[in-house]
């Protein structure tokens, strides 16, 4: 008799990666009522200013320039900093890191990563530097700080600007320093999927006064006064509604971190005995937001493939994701521009086949995580029958967009 594809107990509701944390609704309602009473909805309003002050205090920087999202914040930050030609970025990141450059006709040059931290590997950078290189953008993947000392050393030696995409890393620390204060500037995302969110939002933090002034102008069309425009600018402003959501989220920031940390420990415990599956660990002596719960699936040890595990999880309502598959260098337009980029990216190519990001946050409880552990344990013990049945459903090379097995 063949093994049923579903274990009898499935999660009662789908568990998503990136489910927004909602703070105190009452407080949010009060903020929204107040902004409606003021009738000031955007353009450098008081809630945006308060949000900026609180973010700068957490990041340990003199300036925070709030924006409508992190992608536009990256565009404005890189433009204001005067990046030209080629910019070295990791291939293992969300596509926005590269798009923000390409959108401005800058050339992202993809660098390989460290297999353990998933961050840009400083040792691979030197061979990518050309006379056209103007900058390096490190990404603090999963909120884990890049090797900032090594990156700074390379940037100084070659006269390059160093900036960071810190989209994942708000509230995190590195070398006992808050993330936000490294390089010329760092960019946070406050998208709905981030542990502190504005629904849509981003910010650039920096200690550089001139850069901050320039970015403030650029996010507001370049207006320096009522009728005076002194730069080419865009509309990168954060609305008061977004700031109200962000401030309410900030109020509960430490509660969200505590829940994420509790879930991180619960996953470690629930999955500890599963062969070939490791919960990526964080350095607990550094401040972390634990927003990303990342599994590594070792194909040499695990009886199921990474994508088979995803199929089993999805069938049980656990909508885990395989970020950042298949690597930015394999997404358009980069795949067409640099079809051989993968040859220099062996670690990225491996990591994109191994990672699973699991649901966490306030919608997930330790009991649910224990159940996820049971589902995976069951799947491992029935791996032979499951593999056969799963293969019949997903031909090799098929796109896996998340589907149920029922
Ligand atoms: N740099 C890096 C390194 C980044 O990771 C990101 C964004 C950026 C730059 C750019 O930041 P922003 O411009 O977005 O501020 C999601 C987010 O949209 C994106 O912000 C985030 N990184 C990325 C890692 O994840 P997708 O394409 O995975 O989104 P989507 O629609 O598939 O949703 C993700 C999950 O969240 C799903 O499981 C559903 C759930 N979800 C989402 C939303 C919006 C909810 O449950 N409720 C919601 O309201 O990109």
């Amino acid at each position: 008799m063949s093994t049923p594809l579903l274990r009898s107990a499935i999660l009662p509701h789908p568990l998503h990666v990136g489910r927004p944390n909602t703070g105190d609704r009452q407080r949010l309602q009060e903020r929204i009522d107040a902004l409606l009473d003021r009738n000031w909805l955007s353009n450098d309003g008081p809630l945006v200013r308060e949000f900026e002050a609180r973010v700068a205090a957490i990041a340990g920087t003199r300036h925070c320039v709030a924006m409508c999202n992190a992608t536009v914040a990256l565009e404005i930050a890189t433009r204001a900093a005067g990046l030209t030609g080629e910019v070295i970025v990791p291939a293992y990141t969300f596509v926005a890191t590269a798009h923000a450059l390409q959108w401005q006709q800058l050339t992202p040059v993809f660098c390989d990563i460290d297999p353990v931290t998933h961050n840009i590997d400083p040792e691979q950078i030197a061979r990518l530097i050309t006379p056209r290189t103007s900058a390096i953008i490190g990404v603090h993947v999963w909120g884990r700080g890049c090797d900032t000392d090594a990156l700074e050393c390379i940037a100084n030696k070659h006269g390059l600007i160093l900036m960071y995409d810190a989209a994942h890393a708000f509230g995190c620390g590195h070398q006992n320093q808050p993330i936000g204060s490294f390089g010329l500037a760092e960019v946070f995302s406050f998208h709905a999927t981030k542990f502190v969110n504005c629904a849509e939002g981003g910010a650039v933090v920096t200690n550089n006064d001139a850069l901050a002034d320039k970015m403030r102008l650029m996010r507001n069309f370049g207006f320096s006064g009522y009728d005076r425009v002194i730069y080419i600018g865009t509309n990168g402003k954060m609305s008061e509604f977004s700031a109200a959501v962000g401030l309410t989220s900030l109020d509960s920031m430490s509660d969200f971190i505590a829940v994420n940390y509790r879930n991180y420990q619960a996953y470690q415990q629930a999955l500890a005995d599963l062969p070939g599956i490791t919960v990526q660990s964080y350095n607990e002596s550094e401040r972390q937001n634990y927003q990303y719960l990342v599994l590594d699936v070792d194909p040499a040890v695990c009886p199921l493939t990474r994508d088979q595990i995803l199929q089993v999880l999805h069938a049980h309502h656990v909508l885990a994701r395989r970020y950042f598959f298949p690597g930015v260098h394999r997404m358009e337009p980069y795949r067409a521009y640099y079809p051989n980029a993968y040859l220099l990216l062996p670690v990225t190519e491996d990591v994109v086949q191994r990672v699973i990001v699991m649901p966490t946050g306030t919608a997930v409880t330790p009991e649910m995580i224990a159940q996820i552990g049971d589902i995976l344990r069951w799947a491992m013990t029935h791996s032979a029958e499951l593999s056969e049945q799963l293969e019949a459903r997903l031909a090799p090379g098929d796109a896996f967009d998340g589907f149920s097995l029922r």
Side-chain angles (χ1 to χ4, degrees), residues 11-80:
L11 276 295
H13 308 290
L15 290 185
H16 294 266
V17 169
R19 208 80 182 132
N21 297 315
T22 312
D24 182 339
R25 281 192 191 198
Q26 172 78 32
R27 188 71 190 101
L28 175 59
Q29 197 58 60
E30 285 163 15
R31 284 190 167 109
I32 289 174
D33 285 343
L35 80 87
L36 290 173
D37 289 346
R38 272 193 300 277
N39 213 4
W40 193 272
L41 307 189
S42 188
N43 292 20
D44 210 16
L47 295 183
V48 167
R49 286 185 174 220
E50 186 186 343
F51 183 73
E52 290 180 331
R54 285 176 65 181
V55 168
I58 291 165
T61 53
R62 268 205 303 285
H63 305 283
C64 167
V65 185
M67 310 258 184
C68 51
N69 59 56
T71 308
V72 168
L74 276 166
E75 287 167 18
I76 290 179
T78 51
R79 194 170 186 122

Side-chain angles (χ1 to χ4, degrees), residues 44-329:
D44 210 16
L47 295 183
V48 167
R49 286 185 174 220
E50 186 186 343
F51 183 73
E52 290 180 331
R54 285 176 65 181
V55 168
I58 291 165
T61 53
R62 268 205 303 285
H63 305 283
C64 167
V65 185
M67 310 258 184
C68 51
N69 59 56
T71 308
V72 168
L74 276 166
E75 287 167 18
I76 290 179
T78 51
R79 194 170 186 122
L83 270 51
T84 57
E86 295 171 5
V87 179
I88 296 171
V89 293
Y92 190 69
T93 180
F94 191 62
V95 72
T97 317
H99 276 358
L101 300 170
Q102 191 68 47
W103 195 255
Q104 308 175 68
Q105 312 298 319
L106 295 169
T107 303
V109 173
F110 298 115
C111 185
D112 213 0
I113 56 165
D114 179 282
V116 176
T117 65
H118 299 172
N119 282 330
I120 191 165
D121 179 357
E123 288 190 10
Q124 305 299 320
I125 291 179
R127 65 173 166 174
L128 302 175
I129 296 174
T130 74
R132 296 190 69 229
T133 310
S134 67
I136 302 167
I137 298 183
V139 181
H140 304 299
V141 176
W142 317 133
R144 216 189 257 123
C146 290
D147 187 347
T148 48
D149 287 346
L151 293 178
E152 205 166 314
C153 208
I154 298 165
N156 289 342
K157 183 170 164 202
H158 295 275
L160 303 176
I161 293 169
L162 177 61
M163 302 175 92
Y164 291 98
D165 175 338
H168 300 180
F170 181 64
C172 296
H174 178 60
Q175 296 178 338
N176 299 314
Q177 200 177 313
I179 286 186
S181 51
F182 293 95
L184 175 63
E186 304 211 47
V187 175
F188 294 127
S189 171
F190 297 107
H191 180 256
T193 53
K194 302 297 183 274
F195 87 110
V196 168
N197 83 83
C198 297
E200 287 282 358
V204 189
V205 286
T206 180
N207 284 317
N208 186 300
D209 301 342
L211 183 71
D213 288 347
K214 205 165 169 179
M215 290 189 297
R216 284 200 179 96
L217 291 169
M218 282 185 167
R219 78 171 169 186
N220 186 28
F221 315 101
F223 274 106
S224 70
Y226 219 53
D227 296 320
R228 194 157 165 259
V229 172
I230 60 170
Y231 284 120
I232 177 167
T234 185
N235 184 352
K237 290 173 269 112
M238 177 182 277
S239 81
E240 287 288 276
F241 287 95
S242 292
V245 176
L247 285 166
T248 309
S249 197
L250 275 177
D251 293 342
S252 299
M253 175 173 157
S254 52
D255 298 339
F256 297 151
I257 294 177
V259 167
N260 284 345
Y261 182 60
R262 176 201 71 189
N263 289 350
Y264 165 71
Q265 289 185 308
Y267 269 110
Q268 281 185 321
Q269 197 185 333
L271 310 188
D273 60 336
L274 294 175
I277 296 196
T278 316
V279 178
Q280 291 284 88
S281 59
Y282 292 100
N283 176 357
E284 298 201 18
S285 67
E286 299 279 15
R287 264 172 46 198
Q288 257 299 332
N289 59 34
Y290 297 96
Q291 174 67 1
Y292 290 94
L293 196 299
V294 182
L295 304 186
D296 175 81
V297 181
D298 182 349
V301 182
C302 189
L304 290 166
T305 68
R306 188 271 308 268
D307 287 358
Q308 287 172 341
I309 291 172
L310 275 171
Q311 291 172 72
V312 169
L313 287 172
H314 280 223
H316 290 83
H317 283 173
V318 182
L319 305 183
R321 298 282 295 256
R322 50 180 188 185
Y323 288 119
F324 298 101
F325 185 85
V328 178
H329 62 295

